[in-house]
Amino acid sequence: MQRVVVALALGSAAAFAPAAQPRTSVVRFMDEDALKNKILNAGPAEFNKIGGVEVATEMPADIKFEVPIPAKVMGRWDGECAITVSEGEMKAGSGNSATVNVVPDSMGYEDYYAGFEDAPEWVTVEPAIGKLDRRGGAETTLTVTACPPPGTTFSGELGLVCVLPDDIDKAFKVTLTVGDGVATSDFDAGSDADMG
């Protein structure tokens, strides 16, 4: 038993004894570019790039523009706008447009795809593809344009859907009236009354 105690005492004393040679640390100096490269190349290749926020450039084939249930059934739209196009505006080929603002509510930047659930082909939205800012950031303005061919008559509500692949879609109600009985929009290209 005494041998064990002596062996333990000698072993622990050796652990706390000063080393024969002091440890030396090696400090390597690198320039800034070498340090950046070392940091960037530390993980998998797909994470080793510095870049900005990329914006989608084309509409995925599997995107469906369906108005969400809260908007369709309960009337909880994220916004509304109205567009009227008179017979004179159709003949002039100008049509009319209105804007809706999409309020960002995600924690990060988010792709969106805008389109209509059921709308005539002469109703468009721009930009149809883009990226929403983060929560509290700038709103995204979508412009809805109706440019029907002469002789068209239409009256109804359309569902503009802003598809957010990683979140709940946003929906906007567009009230559209086209054809006879619609007053031409006021247009002021400067009048003589403003001259003096």
Side-chain angles (χ1 to χ4, degrees), residues 29-49:
F29 293 99
M30 295 185 199
D31 64 351
E32 186 176 346
D33 291 330
L35 181 60
K36 284 181 185 176
N37 287 333
K38 183 177 180 181
I39 292 170
L40 282 176
N41 295 323
E46 63 268 15
F47 299 121
N48 293 339
K49 60 183 174 181

Side-chain angles (χ1 to χ4, degrees), residues 108-134:
Y109 294 100
E110 186 170 24
D111 289 328
Y112 75 85
Y113 305 96
F116 294 93
E117 184 176 47
D118 290 315
E121 65 276 354
W122 41 266
V123 180
T124 59
V125 61
E126 288 296 327
I129 300 171
K131 190 169 287 287
L132 294 179
D133 205 342
R134 295 178 288 193

